[in-house]
Amino acid sequence: MSQLLEYIKMAFFNILSNKIRSLLTMLGIIIGISSVILIMSLGNGAKNMITGQLDSIGTGQVAIMSMEDPITQEDLEYLKEEMEEVDAYLFAFGFEGTISTPKGDFTGNAYGCQTDTYLFEQYAVLTQGRYFNEDEYNDAKMVCYLSESDAIRLFGNTDVIGMPVDIMVDGRTLTYTIIGLTAYPENTSMITYSSENDPIFLNLPLTSLEAALGFDADLFYSQQGNVLLNENANAKEACDKIINILEARHDCQGENKFIIQSFSDVMSTISTVINVITLFISLVAAISLLVGGVGVMNIMLVSVTERTREIGIRKSLGAKTGSILLQFLSESAIITMLGGILGIVFGFLGAMVISWLIGALAPEYAFTPSISIGAVLLATLFSSVVGIFFGIYPARKAAKLSPIEALRRM
């Protein structure tokens, strides 16, 4: 052990004795490691930002699809009553119409939904007023809520709580009272493009549409329904339970007529795709480590040539071949390890600068770089392995020199 420490001291002495050459030798390793760390930090930070935003939209959401039997409101209501894992369900119908205001006529959508439909739209938050309640839903009240941007398009301002809004649907004019406004959270990084040609959405009790237009929503064929699981639910177990209940209600056990997709499956797929892309780019960047390794080998070969006399003297004094080999391997490993540490520092600092620039230029896409301790340790270990691998040939060449030949060359 003491001998190894002595070799490490000698390696540091030789590195410090040739600072410029040692730094140039490290340069390839620094560039390679910093590139990998930078890409992984940005990739992980972007992934955390994207998954965080998506998670805020669809946490616990489960989509139920059927290509044969219709999924009715009664089915979804039954799931909510029978399963403690289900907090809410979504069963909605939208009817296109024309909204008339003093500012003109607009294409509108009377979107009939339930009292807890807003839970499926967590990316839109209530800014004024309220959502309609259970009593208003059961009594088919003519109330609605809409987005702030739609309110501005219709009336020119957001001071619209309590105002009536008329929408003509199927030849009938329906008058609703605005009771709430919603908007996207500030600094959200979700992409929300809109234009003046987009329809105005009025979110209103489904029962009010049924009463005003004289139809029964359950008579419409629906290929999809959505339920919202609570945070304590096991998504896989809950999905299996939903399938069993629906198959029992529709008397089609084992016929696979219903398809379930949970949002956690979607999130897992997105994370996998981002991880694969980050890994691929990191591997491409890691190619520069091979270039750095070749640079280490070249410099170590020069070092062997310059120190031939030193090697000859040491071997004539009894130094073993293994000792000479270990000395040069220690030097190459330390050079690359130092390069790896500097690469980690520069890589993470570079990621911080890039993310700061992104946040300054486009605040809605701002994110914080993230790197795991495991990745840092792996990068450090990998850089040392590169040094050892590319240092083997020069070290063996030095170790195999005979004392007489080494002294004769000088």
Side-chain angles (χ1 to χ4, degrees):
M1 186 65 182
S2 60
Q3 191 177 26
L4 178 60
L5 293 176
E6 186 65 28
Y7 292 148
I8 293 175
K9 290 179 182 178
M10 291 174 63
F12 273 110
F13 175 78
N14 289 323
I15 291 171
L16 294 175
S17 298
N18 301 278
K19 296 183 182 66
I20 300 299
R21 188 172 71 184
S22 299
L23 182 59
L24 292 175
T25 305
M26 294 178 192
L27 194 57
I29 302 297
I30 292 173
I31 293 173
I33 293 294
S34 62
S35 298
V36 172
I37 293 297
L38 184 145
I39 292 169
M40 291 183 67
S41 298
L42 293 177
N44 288 337
K47 183 184 74 173
N48 292 339
M49 180 268 289
I50 293 171
T51 54
Q53 289 290 331
L54 292 176
D55 189 57
S56 68
I57 296 174
T59 301
Q61 289 195 30
V62 173
I64 309 167
M65 290 157 282
S66 172
M67 299 305 294
E68 298 184 33
D69 290 6
I71 298 173
T72 66
Q73 186 172 4
E74 288 184 358
D75 288 331
L76 300 177
E77 182 66 36
Y78 186 81
L79 290 174
K80 182 180 178 181
E81 292 175 355
E82 293 297 315
M83 294 180 60
E84 60 182 15
E85 299 93 335
V86 175
D87 279 346
Y89 69 89
L90 175 63
F91 187 84
F93 282 93
F95 291 87
E96 189 173 289
T98 301
I99 299 176
S100 298
T101 70
K103 289 190 66 176
D105 293 338
F106 300 84
T107 300
N109 192 305
Y111 187 65
C113 48
Q114 288 77 41
T115 55
D116 46 17
T117 294
Y118 67 90
L119 295 175
F120 292 85
E121 302 172 344
Q122 295 173 11
Y123 54 89
V125 296
L126 195 68
T127 57
Q128 292 186 50
R130 59 182 177 83
Y131 303 109
F132 55 83
N133 55 40
E134 197 71 33
D135 289 337
E136 289 168 329
Y137 182 85
N138 293 332
D139 295 339
K141 294 292 186 181
M142 304 294 280
V143 293
C144 70
Y145 61 88
L146 68 161
S147 70
E148 285 188 345
S149 59
D150 284 347
I152 293 173
R153 287 171 61 193
L154 291 175
F155 302 101
N157 59 74
T158 58
D159 187 21
V160 296
I161 301 298
M163 291 180 60
V165 57
D166 295 333
I167 180 169
M168 180 174 287
V169 178
D170 195 27
R172 305 180 189 182
T173 299
L174 309 181
T175 301
Y176 285 89
T177 300
I178 301 173
I179 61 172
L181 293 179
T182 63
Y184 285 95
E186 291 185 5
N187 299 323
T188 179
S189 56
M190 296 303 297
I191 300 174
T192 55
Y193 296 117
S194 61
S195 71
E196 290 298 318
N197 296 322
D198 290 342
I200 304 291
F201 272 84
L202 301 181
N203 298 274
L204 41 93
L206 177 59
T207 52
S208 70
L209 271 183
E210 290 178 313
L213 300 180
F215 76 96
D216 184 352
D218 267 340
L219 297 180
F220 282 76
Y221 183 90
S222 177
Q223 292 181 325
Q224 179 173 328
N226 295 75
V227 297
L228 185 68
L229 304 179
N230 58 51
E231 59 183 15
N232 298 320
N234 181 297
K236 186 179 184 309
E237 293 179 0
C239 288
D240 291 340
K241 193 172 179 180
I242 289 171
I243 289 288
N244 292 334
I245 291 175
L246 289 178
E247 287 185 344
R249 281 179 60 84
H250 290 258
D251 194 23
C252 58
Q253 290 88 342
E255 296 182 18
N256 298 321
K257 289 185 177 181
F258 296 98
I259 301 173
I260 297 284
Q261 184 177 51
S262 68
F263 198 79
S264 59
D265 295 334
V266 177
M267 292 287 291
S268 177
T269 301
I270 292 173
S271 295
T272 300
V273 171
I274 295 176
N275 287 337
V276 169
I277 293 174
T278 302
L279 178 61
F280 176 75
I281 299 176
S282 298
L283 290 176
V284 173
I287 293 175
S288 59
L289 286 174
L290 299 178
V291 178
V294 173
V296 171
M297 183 169 63
N298 288 336
I299 296 299
M300 292 306 297
L301 284 171
V302 172
S303 180
V304 170
T305 303
E306 289 180 346
R307 293 156 63 185
T308 301
R309 183 177 179 82
E310 174 195 332
I311 295 169
I313 293 174
R314 290 192 62 200
K315 295 200 76 171
S316 66
L317 294 175
K320 297 181 180 180
T321 299
S323 299
I324 302 296
L325 178 67
L326 188 58
Q327 177 189 347
F328 280 86
L329 281 180
S330 298
E331 190 169 329
S332 62
I334 289 172
I335 286 176
T336 51
M337 184 181 69
L338 290 175
I341 293 173
L342 290 174
I344 291 169
V345 174
F346 291 145
F348 194 71
L349 288 177
M352 293 291 289
V353 170
I354 291 175
S355 65
W356 177 82
L357 288 174
I358 292 174
L361 297 175
E364 67 272 19
Y365 300 116
F367 63 89
T368 302
S370 175
I371 189 70
S372 65
I373 297 298
V376 171
L377 295 176
L378 182 62
T380 306
L381 178 62
F382 187 67
S383 62
S384 298
V385 170
V386 167
I388 294 173
F389 179 79
F390 285 97
I392 288 176
Y393 176 70
R396 283 175 59 85
K397 183 176 181 180
K400 287 184 177 181
L401 286 175
S402 67
I404 297 175
E405 182 65 24
L407 291 171
R408 183 181 298 167
R409 289 186 185 182
M410 301 303 293

